Amino acid sequence: MTVLQAQMKKPLTKTRLIGFAALGVCAIGYTGMGLALLAGKLDYLDMTHAALLAAAAALIGEIGLWVGAGCLGLTLFKKRKAMLDKLFGRKPRPSEV
């Protein structure tokens, strides 16, 4: 590993870890939705039950999507805010130290 690669490696903070885990839940939820609909189409399940199962899985996927986007977006916001504070010479608040 070169010095440049070591400097570019981002630490996995708690917020980023939650964000990536939530995106994994999102992928699992939407995959479950697709599989439930496929099971309904192939007559492994009654289409009514397949649609209910797909709706529940889609809700889980949607929750994962929003939580993941929120957590990962928050990390980008904090990084940009710190960069702007440094650029304008502002002191960080005591809660951010």
Side-chain angles (χ1 to χ4, degrees), residues 48-80:
T48 305
H49 292 109
L52 289 173
L53 187 61
L59 181 65
I60 291 169
E62 193 70 20
I63 290 169
L65 176 70
W66 281 95
V67 169
C71 286
L72 294 175
L74 181 64
T75 60
L76 287 175
F77 174 75
K78 285 182 179 179
K79 182 179 160 187
R80 299 267 194 273

PDB file of all heavy atoms in Angstrom, residues 48-80:
ATOM      1  N   THR A  48     -52.716 -12.957  -4.198  1.00  0.00           N
ATOM      2  CA  THR A  48     -53.080 -12.049  -3.104  1.00  0.00           C
ATOM      3  C   THR A  48     -52.039 -12.116  -1.990  1.00  0.00           C
ATOM      4  O   THR A  48     -51.571 -11.079  -1.505  1.00  0.00           O
ATOM      5  CB  THR A  48     -54.460 -12.426  -2.533  1.00  0.00           C
ATOM      6  OG1 THR A  48     -55.409 -12.442  -3.589  1.00  0.00           O
ATOM      7  CG2 THR A  48     -54.886 -11.444  -1.467  1.00  0.00           C
ATOM      8  N   HIS A  49     -51.661 -13.326  -1.609  1.00  0.00           N
ATOM      9  CA  HIS A  49     -50.643 -13.474  -0.574  1.00  0.00           C
ATOM     10  C   HIS A  49     -49.279 -12.987  -1.058  1.00  0.00           C
ATOM     11  O   HIS A  49     -48.515 -12.395  -0.287  1.00  0.00           O
ATOM     12  CB  HIS A  49     -50.552 -14.939  -0.123  1.00  0.00           C
ATOM     13  CG  HIS A  49     -51.754 -15.393   0.612  1.00  0.00           C
ATOM     14  ND1 HIS A  49     -52.651 -16.276   0.077  1.00  0.00           N
ATOM     15  CD2 HIS A  49     -52.232 -15.055   1.841  1.00  0.00           C
ATOM     16  CE1 HIS A  49     -53.616 -16.484   0.943  1.00  0.00           C
ATOM     17  NE2 HIS A  49     -53.390 -15.746   2.027  1.00  0.00           N
ATOM     18  N   ALA A  50     -48.981 -13.227  -2.322  1.00  0.00           N
ATOM     19  CA  ALA A  50     -47.710 -12.769  -2.876  1.00  0.00           C
ATOM     20  C   ALA A  50     -47.643 -11.243  -2.884  1.00  0.00           C
ATOM     21  O   ALA A  50     -46.595 -10.660  -2.589  1.00  0.00           O
ATOM     22  CB  ALA A  50     -47.522 -13.315  -4.285  1.00  0.00           C
ATOM     23  N   ALA A  51     -48.760 -10.599  -3.207  1.00  0.00           N
ATOM     24  CA  ALA A  51     -48.785  -9.139  -3.230  1.00  0.00           C
ATOM     25  C   ALA A  51     -48.621  -8.560  -1.818  1.00  0.00           C
ATOM     26  O   ALA A  51     -47.932  -7.550  -1.631  1.00  0.00           O
ATOM     27  CB  ALA A  51     -50.082  -8.646  -3.856  1.00  0.00           C
ATOM     28  N   LEU A  52     -49.245  -9.203  -0.827  1.00  0.00           N
ATOM     29  CA  LEU A  52     -49.086  -8.740   0.558  1.00  0.00           C
ATOM     30  C   LEU A  52     -47.645  -8.925   1.034  1.00  0.00           C
ATOM     31  O   LEU A  52     -47.079  -8.042   1.696  1.00  0.00           O
ATOM     32  CB  LEU A  52     -50.044  -9.474   1.482  1.00  0.00           C
ATOM     33  CG  LEU A  52     -51.525  -9.120   1.345  1.00  0.00           C
ATOM     34  CD1 LEU A  52     -52.377 -10.045   2.197  1.00  0.00           C
ATOM     35  CD2 LEU A  52     -51.746  -7.669   1.737  1.00  0.00           C
ATOM     36  N   LEU A  53     -47.056 -10.050   0.701  1.00  0.00           N
ATOM     37  CA  LEU A  53     -45.667 -10.299   1.069  1.00  0.00           C
ATOM     38  C   LEU A  53     -44.730  -9.324   0.350  1.00  0.00           C
ATOM     39  O   LEU A  53     -43.780  -8.810   0.944  1.00  0.00           O
ATOM     40  CB  LEU A  53     -45.297 -11.745   0.727  1.00  0.00           C
ATOM     41  CG  LEU A  53     -43.948 -12.244   1.185  1.00  0.00           C
ATOM     42  CD1 LEU A  53     -43.849 -12.179   2.705  1.00  0.00           C
ATOM     43  CD2 LEU A  53     -43.722 -13.657   0.690  1.00  0.00           C
ATOM     44  N   ALA A  54     -45.034  -9.049  -0.924  1.00  0.00           N
ATOM     45  CA  ALA A  54     -44.219  -8.098  -1.686  1.00  0.00           C
ATOM     46  C   ALA A  54     -44.335  -6.687  -1.114  1.00  0.00           C
ATOM     47  O   ALA A  54     -43.346  -5.945  -1.067  1.00  0.00           O
ATOM     48  CB  ALA A  54     -44.634  -8.107  -3.155  1.00  0.00           C
ATOM     49  N   ALA A  55     -45.530  -6.317  -0.662  1.00  0.00           N
ATOM     50  CA  ALA A  55     -45.711  -4.983  -0.075  1.00  0.00           C
ATOM     51  C   ALA A  55     -44.917  -4.836   1.211  1.00  0.00           C
ATOM     52  O   ALA A  55     -44.295  -3.791   1.460  1.00  0.00           O
ATOM     53  CB  ALA A  55     -47.187  -4.725   0.173  1.00  0.00           C
ATOM     54  N   ALA A  56     -44.917  -5.883   2.037  1.00  0.00           N
ATOM     55  CA  ALA A  56     -44.145  -5.831   3.286  1.00  0.00           C
ATOM     56  C   ALA A  56     -42.650  -5.755   2.995  1.00  0.00           C
ATOM     57  O   ALA A  56     -41.917  -4.978   3.629  1.00  0.00           O
ATOM     58  CB  ALA A  56     -44.460  -7.051   4.147  1.00  0.00           C
ATOM     59  N   ALA A  57     -42.188  -6.535   2.023  1.00  0.00           N
ATOM     60  CA  ALA A  57     -40.769  -6.516   1.673  1.00  0.00           C
ATOM     61  C   ALA A  57     -40.384  -5.163   1.057  1.00  0.00           C
ATOM     62  O   ALA A  57     -39.293  -4.645   1.315  1.00  0.00           O
ATOM     63  CB  ALA A  57     -40.443  -7.651   0.714  1.00  0.00           C
ATOM     64  N   ALA A  58     -41.274  -4.591   0.247  1.00  0.00           N
ATOM     65  CA  ALA A  58     -40.990  -3.282  -0.354  1.00  0.00           C
ATOM     66  C   ALA A  58     -40.916  -2.195   0.717  1.00  0.00           C
ATOM     67  O   ALA A  58     -40.101  -1.271   0.621  1.00  0.00           O
ATOM     68  CB  ALA A  58     -42.062  -2.931  -1.377  1.00  0.00           C
ATOM     69  N   LEU A  59     -41.759  -2.303   1.748  1.00  0.00           N
ATOM     70  CA  LEU A  59     -41.709  -1.337   2.842  1.00  0.00           C
ATOM     71  C   LEU A  59     -40.377  -1.432   3.585  1.00  0.00           C
ATOM     72  O   LEU A  59     -39.759  -0.403   3.907  1.00  0.00           O
ATOM     73  CB  LEU A  59     -42.871  -1.575   3.807  1.00  0.00           C
ATOM     74  CG  LEU A  59     -42.966  -0.626   4.990  1.00  0.00           C
ATOM     75  CD1 LEU A  59     -43.251   0.790   4.502  1.00  0.00           C
ATOM     76  CD2 LEU A  59     -44.047  -1.085   5.942  1.00  0.00           C
ATOM     77  N   ILE A  60     -39.899  -2.650   3.811  1.00  0.00           N
ATOM     78  CA  ILE A  60     -38.599  -2.835   4.453  1.00  0.00           C
ATOM     79  C   ILE A  60     -37.492  -2.254   3.575  1.00  0.00           C
ATOM     80  O   ILE A  60     -36.586  -1.570   4.061  1.00  0.00           O
ATOM     81  CB  ILE A  60     -38.362  -4.330   4.744  1.00  0.00           C
ATOM     82  CG1 ILE A  60     -39.310  -4.799   5.838  1.00  0.00           C
ATOM     83  CG2 ILE A  60     -36.914  -4.591   5.132  1.00  0.00           C
ATOM     84  CD1 ILE A  60     -39.349  -6.289   6.019  1.00  0.00           C
ATOM     85  N   GLY A  61     -37.576  -2.497   2.278  1.00  0.00           N
ATOM     86  CA  GLY A  61     -36.583  -1.941   1.362  1.00  0.00           C
ATOM     87  C   GLY A  61     -36.595  -0.420   1.330  1.00  0.00           C
ATOM     88  O   GLY A  61     -35.552   0.225   1.281  1.00  0.00           O
ATOM     89  N   GLU A  62     -37.787   0.153   1.367  1.00  0.00           N
ATOM     90  CA  GLU A  62     -37.906   1.613   1.336  1.00  0.00           C
ATOM     91  C   GLU A  62     -37.359   2.246   2.610  1.00  0.00           C
ATOM     92  O   GLU A  62     -36.682   3.279   2.564  1.00  0.00           O
ATOM     93  CB  GLU A  62     -39.380   1.987   1.147  1.00  0.00           C
ATOM     94  CG  GLU A  62     -39.601   3.423   0.796  1.00  0.00           C
ATOM     95  CD  GLU A  62     -39.142   3.793  -0.607  1.00  0.00           C
ATOM     96  OE1 GLU A  62     -38.992   2.925  -1.457  1.00  0.00           O
ATOM     97  OE2 GLU A  62     -38.927   5.003  -0.830  1.00  0.00           O
ATOM     98  N   ILE A  63     -37.622   1.619   3.749  1.00  0.00           N
ATOM     99  CA  ILE A  63     -37.080   2.130   5.011  1.00  0.00           C
ATOM    100  C   ILE A  63     -35.554   2.076   4.981  1.00  0.00           C
ATOM    101  O   ILE A  63     -34.874   3.027   5.377  1.00  0.00           O
ATOM    102  CB  ILE A  63     -37.648   1.341   6.209  1.00  0.00           C
ATOM    103  CG1 ILE A  63     -39.129   1.669   6.389  1.00  0.00           C
ATOM    104  CG2 ILE A  63     -36.875   1.631   7.486  1.00  0.00           C
ATOM    105  CD1 ILE A  63     -39.847   0.767   7.372  1.00  0.00           C
ATOM    106  N   GLY A  64     -35.004   0.961   4.494  1.00  0.00           N
ATOM    107  CA  GLY A  64     -33.557   0.846   4.372  1.00  0.00           C
ATOM    108  C   GLY A  64     -32.971   1.894   3.451  1.00  0.00           C
ATOM    109  O   GLY A  64     -31.903   2.458   3.712  1.00  0.00           O
ATOM    110  N   LEU A  65     -33.685   2.184   2.354  1.00  0.00           N
ATOM    111  CA  LEU A  65     -33.209   3.193   1.407  1.00  0.00           C
ATOM    112  C   LEU A  65     -33.142   4.570   2.055  1.00  0.00           C
ATOM    113  O   LEU A  65     -32.137   5.278   1.935  1.00  0.00           O
ATOM    114  CB  LEU A  65     -34.131   3.224   0.192  1.00  0.00           C
ATOM    115  CG  LEU A  65     -33.831   4.286  -0.855  1.00  0.00           C
ATOM    116  CD1 LEU A  65     -32.529   3.936  -1.567  1.00  0.00           C
ATOM    117  CD2 LEU A  65     -34.956   4.385  -1.842  1.00  0.00           C
ATOM    118  N   TRP A  66     -34.194   4.952   2.770  1.00  0.00           N
ATOM    119  CA  TRP A  66     -34.223   6.283   3.374  1.00  0.00           C
ATOM    120  C   TRP A  66     -33.220   6.428   4.510  1.00  0.00           C
ATOM    121  O   TRP A  66     -32.557   7.465   4.639  1.00  0.00           O
ATOM    122  CB  TRP A  66     -35.636   6.617   3.857  1.00  0.00           C
ATOM    123  CG  TRP A  66     -36.508   7.034   2.721  1.00  0.00           C
ATOM    124  CD1 TRP A  66     -37.342   6.236   2.014  1.00  0.00           C
ATOM    125  CD2 TRP A  66     -36.589   8.330   2.139  1.00  0.00           C
ATOM    126  NE1 TRP A  66     -37.944   6.972   1.022  1.00  0.00           N
ATOM    127  CE2 TRP A  66     -37.514   8.255   1.075  1.00  0.00           C
ATOM    128  CE3 TRP A  66     -35.977   9.545   2.409  1.00  0.00           C
ATOM    129  CZ2 TRP A  66     -37.835   9.356   0.290  1.00  0.00           C
ATOM    130  CZ3 TRP A  66     -36.311  10.637   1.625  1.00  0.00           C
ATOM    131  CH2 TRP A  66     -37.217  10.540   0.581  1.00  0.00           C
ATOM    132  N   VAL A  67     -33.094   5.390   5.332  1.00  0.00           N
ATOM    133  CA  VAL A  67     -32.132   5.462   6.441  1.00  0.00           C
ATOM    134  C   VAL A  67     -30.711   5.504   5.891  1.00  0.00           C
ATOM    135  O   VAL A  67     -29.872   6.287   6.343  1.00  0.00           O
ATOM    136  CB  VAL A  67     -32.322   4.278   7.416  1.00  0.00           C
ATOM    137  CG1 VAL A  67     -31.188   4.196   8.403  1.00  0.00           C
ATOM    138  CG2 VAL A  67     -33.651   4.400   8.133  1.00  0.00           C
ATOM    139  N   GLY A  68     -30.422   4.668   4.890  1.00  0.00           N
ATOM    140  CA  GLY A  68     -29.088   4.652   4.288  1.00  0.00           C
ATOM    141  C   GLY A  68     -28.736   5.971   3.621  1.00  0.00           C
ATOM    142  O   GLY A  68     -27.632   6.496   3.788  1.00  0.00           O
ATOM    143  N   ALA A  69     -29.680   6.515   2.867  1.00  0.00           N
ATOM    144  CA  ALA A  69     -29.427   7.800   2.201  1.00  0.00           C
ATOM    145  C   ALA A  69     -29.245   8.916   3.223  1.00  0.00           C
ATOM    146  O   ALA A  69     -28.394   9.799   3.056  1.00  0.00           O
ATOM    147  CB  ALA A  69     -30.576   8.122   1.251  1.00  0.00           C
ATOM    148  N   GLY A  70     -30.032   8.873   4.283  1.00  0.00           N
ATOM    149  CA  GLY A  70     -29.904   9.907   5.316  1.00  0.00           C
ATOM    150  C   GLY A  70     -28.566   9.847   6.030  1.00  0.00           C
ATOM    151  O   GLY A  70     -27.911  10.871   6.239  1.00  0.00           O
ATOM    152  N   CYS A  71     -28.136   8.657   6.406  1.00  0.00           N
ATOM    153  CA  CYS A  71     -26.864   8.517   7.132  1.00  0.00           C
ATOM    154  C   CYS A  71     -25.677   8.873   6.245  1.00  0.00           C
ATOM    155  O   CYS A  71     -24.764   9.588   6.670  1.00  0.00           O
ATOM    156  CB  CYS A  71     -26.709   7.103   7.655  1.00  0.00           C
ATOM    157  SG  CYS A  71     -27.764   6.749   9.052  1.00  0.00           S
ATOM    158  N   LEU A  72     -25.679   8.367   5.022  1.00  0.00           N
ATOM    159  CA  LEU A  72     -24.547   8.654   4.145  1.00  0.00           C
ATOM    160  C   LEU A  72     -24.548  10.111   3.693  1.00  0.00           C
ATOM    161  O   LEU A  72     -23.498  10.714   3.522  1.00  0.00           O
ATOM    162  CB  LEU A  72     -24.558   7.701   2.949  1.00  0.00           C
ATOM    163  CG  LEU A  72     -24.314   6.235   3.326  1.00  0.00           C
ATOM    164  CD1 LEU A  72     -24.457   5.348   2.102  1.00  0.00           C
ATOM    165  CD2 LEU A  72     -22.959   6.045   3.970  1.00  0.00           C
ATOM    166  N   GLY A  73     -25.739  10.693   3.538  1.00  0.00           N
ATOM    167  CA  GLY A  73     -25.814  12.116   3.206  1.00  0.00           C
ATOM    168  C   GLY A  73     -25.330  12.986   4.347  1.00  0.00           C
ATOM    169  O   GLY A  73     -24.705  14.031   4.134  1.00  0.00           O
ATOM    170  N   LEU A  74     -25.598  12.555   5.577  1.00  0.00           N
ATOM    171  CA  LEU A  74     -25.141  13.310   6.747  1.00  0.00           C
ATOM    172  C   LEU A  74     -23.618  13.335   6.820  1.00  0.00           C
ATOM    173  O   LEU A  74     -23.024  14.354   7.179  1.00  0.00           O
ATOM    174  CB  LEU A  74     -25.734  12.702   8.013  1.00  0.00           C
ATOM    175  CG  LEU A  74     -25.372  13.378   9.333  1.00  0.00           C
ATOM    176  CD1 LEU A  74     -25.932  14.795   9.344  1.00  0.00           C
ATOM    177  CD2 LEU A  74     -25.918  12.581  10.495  1.00  0.00           C
ATOM    178  N   THR A  75     -22.980  12.222   6.465  1.00  0.00           N
ATOM    179  CA  THR A  75     -21.514  12.205   6.499  1.00  0.00           C
ATOM    180  C   THR A  75     -20.944  13.152   5.454  1.00  0.00           C
ATOM    181  O   THR A  75     -19.939  13.811   5.709  1.00  0.00           O
ATOM    182  CB  THR A  75     -20.964  10.789   6.273  1.00  0.00           C
ATOM    183  OG1 THR A  75     -21.384  10.308   5.005  1.00  0.00           O
ATOM    184  CG2 THR A  75     -21.406   9.855   7.364  1.00  0.00           C
ATOM    185  N   LEU A  76     -21.583  13.236   4.292  1.00  0.00           N
ATOM    186  CA  LEU A  76     -21.122  14.182   3.273  1.00  0.00           C
ATOM    187  C   LEU A  76     -21.313  15.620   3.734  1.00  0.00           C
ATOM    188  O   LEU A  76     -20.475  16.480   3.499  1.00  0.00           O
ATOM    189  CB  LEU A  76     -21.867  13.959   1.957  1.00  0.00           C
ATOM    190  CG  LEU A  76     -21.499  12.716   1.179  1.00  0.00           C
ATOM    191  CD1 LEU A  76     -22.411  12.587  -0.036  1.00  0.00           C
ATOM    192  CD2 LEU A  76     -20.055  12.752   0.750  1.00  0.00           C
ATOM    193  N   PHE A  77     -22.446  15.892   4.406  1.00  0.00           N
ATOM    194  CA  PHE A  77     -22.718  17.234   4.896  1.00  0.00           C
ATOM    195  C   PHE A  77     -21.680  17.662   5.933  1.00  0.00           C
ATOM    196  O   PHE A  77     -21.169  18.780   5.887  1.00  0.00           O
ATOM    197  CB  PHE A  77     -24.122  17.299   5.496  1.00  0.00           C
ATOM    198  CG  PHE A  77     -24.433  18.605   6.159  1.00  0.00           C
ATOM    199  CD1 PHE A  77     -24.700  19.729   5.400  1.00  0.00           C
ATOM    200  CD2 PHE A  77     -24.449  18.713   7.540  1.00  0.00           C
ATOM    201  CE1 PHE A  77     -24.974  20.947   6.006  1.00  0.00           C
ATOM    202  CE2 PHE A  77     -24.728  19.913   8.147  1.00  0.00           C
ATOM    203  CZ  PHE A  77     -24.995  21.032   7.381  1.00  0.00           C
ATOM    204  N   LYS A  78     -21.357  16.779   6.860  1.00  0.00           N
ATOM    205  CA  LYS A  78     -20.374  17.113   7.894  1.00  0.00           C
ATOM    206  C   LYS A  78     -19.001  17.376   7.277  1.00  0.00           C
ATOM    207  O   LYS A  78     -18.290  18.288   7.696  1.00  0.00           O
ATOM    208  CB  LYS A  78     -20.270  15.980   8.913  1.00  0.00           C
ATOM    209  CG  LYS A  78     -21.424  15.907   9.861  1.00  0.00           C
ATOM    210  CD  LYS A  78     -21.210  14.778  10.853  1.00  0.00           C
ATOM    211  CE  LYS A  78     -22.330  14.679  11.839  1.00  0.00           C
ATOM    212  NZ  LYS A  78     -22.125  13.569  12.784  1.00  0.00           N
ATOM    213  N   LYS A  79     -18.635  16.592   6.269  1.00  0.00           N
ATOM    214  CA  LYS A  79     -17.339  16.765   5.610  1.00  0.00           C
ATOM    215  C   LYS A  79     -17.275  18.108   4.881  1.00  0.00           C
ATOM    216  O   LYS A  79     -16.301  18.835   4.985  1.00  0.00           O
ATOM    217  CB  LYS A  79     -17.130  15.614   4.630  1.00  0.00           C
ATOM    218  CG  LYS A  79     -15.819  15.639   3.906  1.00  0.00           C
ATOM    219  CD  LYS A  79     -15.735  14.424   2.999  1.00  0.00           C
ATOM    220  CE  LYS A  79     -14.721  14.634   1.932  1.00  0.00           C
ATOM    221  NZ  LYS A  79     -14.721  13.548   0.950  1.00  0.00           N
ATOM    222  N   ARG A  80     -18.337  18.440   4.176  1.00  0.00           N
ATOM    223  CA  ARG A  80     -18.369  19.716   3.445  1.00  0.00           C
ATOM    224  C   ARG A  80     -18.372  20.905   4.409  1.00  0.00           C
ATOM    225  O   ARG A  80     -17.739  21.907   4.166  1.00  0.00           O
ATOM    226  CB  ARG A  80     -19.608  19.791   2.547  1.00  0.00           C
ATOM    227  CG  ARG A  80     -19.698  18.747   1.499  1.00  0.00           C
ATOM    228  CD  ARG A  80     -19.092  19.208   0.193  1.00  0.00           C
ATOM    229  NE  ARG A  80     -19.448  18.355  -0.919  1.00  0.00           N
ATOM    230  CZ  ARG A  80     -18.791  17.263  -1.267  1.00  0.00           C
ATOM    231  NH1 ARG A  80     -17.794  16.860  -0.561  1.00  0.00           N
ATOM    232  NH2 ARG A  80     -19.152  16.566  -2.318  1.00  0.00           N
TER     233      ARG A  80
END
